[in-house]
Structure formats: C-alpha cells, structure tokens
Amino acid sequence: MSTPKPVTPTITAQQQALRESLPFSDTQDFDDATRGLVARRTPNAVTNDAGEVVWDNDTYAFLDGDAPDTVNPSLWRQSQLSAIQGLFEVVPGIYQVRGMDLSNTTFVEGDEGVVVIDTLLSNETGAAALALYREHRGDRPVKAIVYTHSHADHFGGTKGFVSAEDVDSGRVKVFAPEGFVEHAVSENVYAGVAMNRRAAYMYGAALARGPQGQVGAGLGQTISTGVVSFIPPTDTISTTGHEEVVDGVRMVFQMAPGTEAPSEMLIHLPDFHALCAAEDATHTLHNLLTLRGAVVRDPHAWAHYLTETIDLFGGDIEVVFASHHWPTWGKERVVAYLQNQRDIYAYLHDQTLRLLNKGLTGPEIAEEIQLPPALENAWNARGYYGSISHNVKAIYQRYLGWFDGNPAHLWEHTPVERAKRYAKLAGGVDALVANAREAFDAGDFRWAAEAANHAVFAEPDHAAARELLADTYEQLGYGSENGTWRDFYLSGATELRDGQFGTPTETNAPDVIANLSPEMLFDAVAIQVNGPKAWDERLAIDVVVSDTDQRYRVWLANGVLSYSAAPQQGDADATITATRASLPALAAGDPAALTAAGIQVTGDASALGRLTAVLDPGDKNFAIVTP
Ligand SMILES: [Zn+2]
C-alpha cells in the first residue's frame, strides 16, 4: 500500500476558517450522545464464525482531541460523536445500542419481553448488540421486530435477534411499512452490482482508518461486513394513526413513503412520550440522492411529513430518537430539532426550484444557494452524509433530469473521447498534466481534478497523471466536511495508486435473493441478458411454482426476456417446476444450480442452456477513476 501525502497549506487554511466560523463551543451533542450510558462493549470488535472481524469500532480510537489538518474539523467532530458506542438508556424502558454498526438498534421493554426497532446490517453485529442489551437488562425474549424502512442497515441483522422459525411459529411478529419487501429487495438486486461497487467508495470500506484515511461516513462510522439476512414482515402497516400493542408496548405509526426511503414509517410510543423518527430526522443533512446511486428522493414529501410529525406528536414527545445518531431530549428542543430538519429539506427544495426557474443549472444552483444562518449553524443540518451541493443537483434531476437544456450537452463525446480531445487542445497529455499541476499548486483542486482526470482518461498508464490525480483527490478528501465525499475522494486516490479493490460488502445477499417474487426474479434474469448476443435467440419456458399454484410463460425474443402470467399461444420449449423457495436458483443462471435446488425440467432442456449462454452478469470490480 502506498503512503498518504501531507496536507497542503490551502486545505489547512480552509480547515482553520471553518474552526472559526462554526459554533464549536456548543457541546450539547456530546452531552446527548453520552447521556444514559449503561455500559460500553469492550473491546468492541465483532467477529464472524470464521473468526474474521466484521466490525471494529475500536479502530476509531484515534478520534481523540483536536482535529488534525488532514480532516475537516466539522467532520472530525461528527465522527467523534458517531463513534461513541455502548448500550444507552433513552428513557426508562427504552434502550439503544449505538456504535456497533452504521445504524442503531432500539429495545422497547414490554410486560415480559422486548420489541426491537431495526436490526443493524448484519447478523453478527445484531447478535452482539442483543447480547450487550441482555447482559445488562436481563434475558428478555424478543416479542416483535419493527423495520422502520427498507434499507439493509435496518433489517440485515434480523437473524442475529430471532430465527425464521421464531417468526414462522408466530412467537415473534415482524412489522414493516407498506411496500417494504418490494423496495428492500428491488433496491438491492436490480442495480445492486453497481450500487455495491459504488457503496465501497461511499463508505470507504477498503480504506485504512486514521487521520489520513477513513474517519467515518457521517451517518455512522462505516458498514459492518457480516452476513445480511432477511425475514419478511408478518404484518404490514399502511395507515397513519394505526396502533399496535405488543407485549404491552403501544405503538402508533406515521407513514412517510418517498422520504428517506420509498417505504418508511415513524413510530410514536405514547406511554414513553417518545418518538422514533426512523431515518427522517437525524443529526445530518441526509441524502436526496445517495452517492452510491439510487432513485432520487422527494424533499417536498420529506418536509411535509415532518410537519405532520410535529402536528401529530409534537405536543407529547419528550424525546426523539432515530435509527442513526443520538437522541434529543426536552419538548422544546425536540420540536426545534424537527423543525430544523424539516426546514433544511423544504429550503433546498424551494430555493432550487426558484433558481432553476430563472434558468440556473444544478452546478450553478449548488454554488449560488445560501442557507439562513440559523440552519447554517445548526449542527444537525450540516452536510455530513447528504450535502447541499449534491442534494441541489438531485432536486434539479428530480424535476428536470440529466439534461440542462444546453444543446452543447445533448450529445457529448464519451469521457475517453473528450479526454483525448482535451489533451490535444492542451498540446498533449504532458501539457495537460502541467496545467493540472499548476492548478494543484495554486490550491484549485477542483480544476486540478478535472484536468488530471482528462489526462488519465486520455492515457491511463501515464504515471505522472495518475499520481497527480491521486494527490488531488486526497487533498479534496482532506478538505471534505462530508464523510461520503471524503471516502469517495480517498477511495479514488487509493485505486489510482494501488489498483482496484472491488466490492468488499454486498447487500444482494442470498436471503434477499430468496425473497424475490417470481416476477422480480424474472426481471433480475432479464437485466442480465446480453442484448446483441441474444438477438437471434428465440425460446419459451413455462415456469410452474407448485406450492403457490402460479404459472408463467417466460420467453426470449429480440434480445428481451419477457414474462406473463396470462395464458400464451403455442407450446413452450421446456417447463420448469419449482417451489417458491427453490425458484431463486433460476437467478444463478446455471443449469446445475437448478438440479441442486430440486427444480424439475421437462421438454427440451437445452432451452435453459441457450438462455444461460446469453446471460452476462455485472462486474463487481468495474473501473471508476480510470477508463
Ligand atoms: Zn440507515
């Protein structure tokens, strides 16, 4: 591994300016993040069955004292807060384990057992969190699991808390918002390969921890790398105001679809005067478009639902907690916090629309937009995970799309072709690198990145271009207040210097694949069809799902795999008979996997082989910072 380079004076000056402008003397968040500590888990490494470390919060012990100049002081502060780990009492009867994954898990105690809200990302960290809770609060049985939303860091650890058998037998209920399964599964499967590869950049999983490496992801420290599990809900919640009582725990739900996740809900716990804000109010400006990639979110709906939250519950709640970060206590502070969170999304939404209606484009609005001082100086509205810059562009994208209306941008050359022409314009790659070097020395890292990126795309083996681009990304990383920006920049620098690190964490886990509906499964196969290779292939396969009595015709024509549950004309080449549980073997694209799963094939079995032959799976190690 190459060694990181020192910080430049430009970045040092930028860090100093921020130290002077932000209210660092306000340490209320530190009081809140440590309040109610029951016990720390020491040491806090979690290993899997093979003895491999899947989580190690202790690697953040360096986050002590003042920020070094290689870390933005505001991000350093946020990371110090996020790294605080242990079991905490929120109010008597409600406990949280924090600092044991990207997300939190919350325990609400009932008459004899406990209701668990969100289960972390992997079974190993989930089991460790439950063990820590039980060590200090007794061996209470889990009576119910509640998933606040459809992101994997809130359901992936469920099998660390309960078994599928506990749920199947009816001993444990599992609640989730409407649309949960569809979104949880689809988000991780359709564009899963690309999202997971980009998530490796976003969370800095492959980076060394330390003042010149990964310091945190803004929303939490990083993601655990254990096994992601999936247990589908037994009960779906679809109405605001709906109440459930489990083991004496009263829960009143507020639906918030299309906010931070397509399927999401908040939970009011009236007997505790507490609100679980899911992930709709956290101690950061959240993402309207996460850098790993996703469907763009709706800031207008987000703000609207937080207004509704205040209207419905604001008069009652003494504490608000979420599935990330630390709680906020006191009725007035709770409402002020929810108002801030609401206003930041509303402001970005409204101001972006105001400015785009004057003809400004996303990058222009991102530079132009200014926050009111009250939001600018509110720690919980700072951009540690989302950022003003990329959220504004996301809003532009949501309303107007990728095209800014300028015909020069309608039909641009590809990055490599543009790069070659920029190199020619500069008088060769060496001259382009010299121009980038000049910008680097002047502290204009944004231009240095653009020029050096063109140089690398024009000539990927140009050593000086690669080195300068890596050095530039590194300085941009050191300066970033946003944890995911820092991770992206430092990951780019690392791959330029040391080669590609692939995809360390995958959320398209077998448990998730196993819950694909037959239709989603066919979609998952269809997106792997190599179009040109399949142009001349024609085949039809009947799929019979014996235990659910479903029947589909799946056919390949014109390079497209289509399907229908309606009766189709003519005979299929072959018929596959599977169960709901064995059907996912189809996604493996391998006839041997079908046999192993006990799937029967009748008719012309070669049709399956012909289908397999045109499947073209994604590349978990695709290039990002090089062509
Ligand atoms: Zn989350």
Side-chain angles (χ1 to χ4, degrees):
M1 291 284 268
S2 53
T3 20
K5 303 256 175 84
V7 67
T8 56
T10 304
I11 299 297
T12 302
Q14 183 193 311
Q15 319 284 41
Q16 187 52 33
L18 206 57
R19 270 186 208 107
E20 285 159 16
S21 74
L22 287 176
F24 282 92
S25 59
D26 172 5
T27 53
Q28 177 72 50
D29 282 330
F30 287 90
D31 297 340
D32 291 341
T34 49
R35 176 171 164 170
L37 175 69
V38 176
R40 296 210 191 283
R41 185 172 183 275
T42 331
N44 195 19
V46 178
T47 50
N48 63 14
D49 291 342
E52 296 152 349
V53 174
V54 300
W55 176 257
D56 189 358
N57 202 66
D58 297 338
T59 57
Y60 294 104
F62 67 88
L63 287 163
D64 216 17
D66 293 335
D69 286 332
T70 50
V71 185
N72 182 295
S74 176
L75 176 60
W76 181 263
R77 177 188 181 276
Q78 179 78 352
S79 294
Q80 286 182 318
L81 288 161
S82 296
I84 294 171
Q85 60 95 354
L87 174 70
F88 299 85
E89 183 184 87
V90 177
V91 290
I94 300 182
Y95 297 83
Q96 281 195 309
V97 171
R98 303 199 288 267
M100 279 187 60
D101 210 315
L102 182 74
S103 43
N104 301 331
T105 180
T106 304
F107 299 89
V108 186
E109 294 180 349
D111 295 334
E112 53 188 52
V114 67
V115 173
V116 176
I117 301 175
D118 290 348
T119 58
L120 307 182
L121 176 60
S122 51
N123 295 338
E124 294 86 343
T125 51
L130 179 63
L132 179 66
Y133 166 77
R134 282 185 170 158
E135 188 186 332
H136 299 279
R137 296 297 305 165
D139 227 0
R140 286 172 169 265
V142 175
K143 295 287 188 180
I145 304 262
V146 184
Y147 301 135
T148 59
H149 63 289
S150 50
H151 292 153
D153 54 321
H154 304 270
F155 65 75
T158 298
K159 286 186 180 171
F161 292 81
V162 295
S163 66
E165 208 271 317
D166 289 330
V167 176
D168 292 343
S169 68
R171 282 195 297 278
V172 177
K173 283 192 161 198
V174 180
F175 298 93
E178 191 170 31
F180 174 85
V181 175
E182 180 198 340
H183 292 294
V185 171
S186 66
E187 183 160 320
N188 291 297
V189 174
Y190 291 169
V193 175
M195 280 187 191
N196 279 306
R197 169 80 174 122
R198 292 166 53 136
Y201 265 57
M202 175 169 173
Y203 295 105
L207 302 176
R209 315 274 204 263
Q212 289 178 290
Q214 206 266 9
V215 301
L219 187 67
Q221 287 306 88
T222 187
I223 46 180
S224 64
T225 52
V227 175
V228 173
S229 61
F230 188 81
I231 294 183
T234 57
D235 292 70
T236 296
I237 309 295
S238 53
T239 329
T240 293
H242 178 86
E243 182 172 319
E244 289 280 345
V245 183
V246 178
D247 194 33
V249 174
R250 275 209 295 151
M251 297 179 280
V252 180
F253 301 96
Q254 182 200 357
M255 309 313 298
T259 54
E260 185 267 336
S263 167
E264 187 145 5
M265 62 184 182
L266 291 76
I267 309 156
H268 179 217
L269 298 153
D271 297 329
F272 298 91
H273 303 290
L275 176 76
C276 170
E279 203 162 321
D280 283 331
T282 55
H283 289 274
T284 179
L285 167 61
H286 211 291
N287 278 308
L288 298 178
L289 187 51
T290 172
L291 298 185
R292 70 171 152 80
V295 174
V296 66
R297 297 165 191 167
D298 183 355
H300 191 246
W302 200 325
H304 159 78
Y305 283 116
L306 285 177
T307 297
E308 187 182 67
T309 304
I310 297 166
D311 291 346
L312 288 172
F313 312 122
D316 175 67
I317 40 185
E318 299 285 350
V319 63
V320 57
F321 62 89
S323 293
H324 293 274
H325 301 139
W326 50 96
T328 298
W329 285 269
K331 205 172 274 180
E332 273 178 34
R333 286 183 59 225
V334 165
V335 172
Y337 165 74
L338 292 173
Q339 285 169 340
N340 260 358
Q341 287 280 303
R342 182 264 319 277
D343 289 348
I344 187 75
Y345 300 111
Y347 188 90
L348 292 183
H349 174 265
D350 297 349
Q351 295 305 307
T352 299
L353 286 170
R354 177 176 72 85
L355 293 168
L356 73 79
N357 279 321
K358 287 177 177 293
L360 273 71
T361 62
E364 289 166 337
I365 301 169
E367 298 299 314
E368 175 93 6
I369 200 162
Q370 280 186 307
L371 291 187
L375 291 180
E376 177 77 20
N377 290 309
W379 288 115
N380 68 67
R382 303 285 309 172
Y384 302 114
Y385 196 54
S387 73
I388 308 261
S389 174
H390 73 257
N391 278 349
V392 160
K393 293 169 193 166
I395 297 166
Y396 188 96
Q397 175 183 323
R398 182 175 177 88
Y399 283 92
L400 295 181
W402 66 271
F403 179 47
D404 65 5
N406 182 341
H409 301 145
L410 191 54
W411 195 37
E412 291 178 349
H413 280 295
T414 62
V416 167
E417 294 305 317
R418 292 172 72 202
K420 285 179 185 165
R421 286 159 177 81
Y422 273 103
K424 191 177 171 201
L425 176 68
V429 174
D430 287 344
L432 191 51
V433 173
N435 176 267
R437 163 85 49 209
E438 205 177 292
F440 182 97
D441 292 340
D444 184 0
F445 300 114
R446 292 167 71 177
W447 179 255
E450 176 145 355
N453 176 56
H454 283 314
V456 168
F457 272 68
E459 198 180 321
D461 295 329
H462 196 289
R466 287 178 80 108
E467 187 182 342
L468 181 60
L469 184 56
D471 291 354
T472 303
Y473 286 155
E474 190 169 58
Q475 294 302 315
L476 286 164
Y478 290 165
S480 294
E481 183 177 15
N482 186 290
T484 64
W485 282 37
R486 179 183 174 97
D487 290 340
F488 253 88
Y489 283 130
L490 296 186
S491 292
T494 299
E495 289 205 333
L496 283 164
R497 289 168 178 163
D498 301 327
Q500 280 155 234
F501 49 62
T503 297
T505 309
E506 294 183 59
T507 53
N508 43 356
D511 247 17
V512 175
I513 305 277
N515 281 282
L516 291 168
S517 67
E519 290 88 350
M520 292 161 106
L521 195 67
F522 302 144
D523 284 335
V525 176
I527 58 177
Q528 294 183 55
V529 170
N530 180 321
K533 217 172 155 185
W535 283 347
D536 298 325
E537 190 60 81
R538 295 276 184 285
L539 57 89
I541 297 169
D542 280 340
V543 177
V544 179
V545 188
S546 54
D547 51 343
T548 56
D549 206 20
Q550 291 163 293
R551 192 181 179 95
Y552 300 88
R553 170 72 56 88
V554 178
W555 66 94
L556 182 66
N558 288 333
V560 178
L561 190 78
S562 307
Y563 57 86
S564 174
Q568 302 292 314
Q569 289 188 336
D571 290 332
D573 298 298
T575 300
I576 288 174
T577 305
T579 59
R580 184 76 171 73
S582 66
L583 192 61
L586 195 63
D590 170 14
L594 298 188
T595 316
I599 295 176
Q600 286 180 342
V601 184
T602 55
D604 177 10
S606 77
L608 270 171
R610 277 151 52 209
L611 174 58
T612 306
V614 298
L615 295 186
D616 181 17
D619 176 2
K620 295 174 189 174
N621 194 33
F622 60 76
I624 294 177
V625 290
T626 53

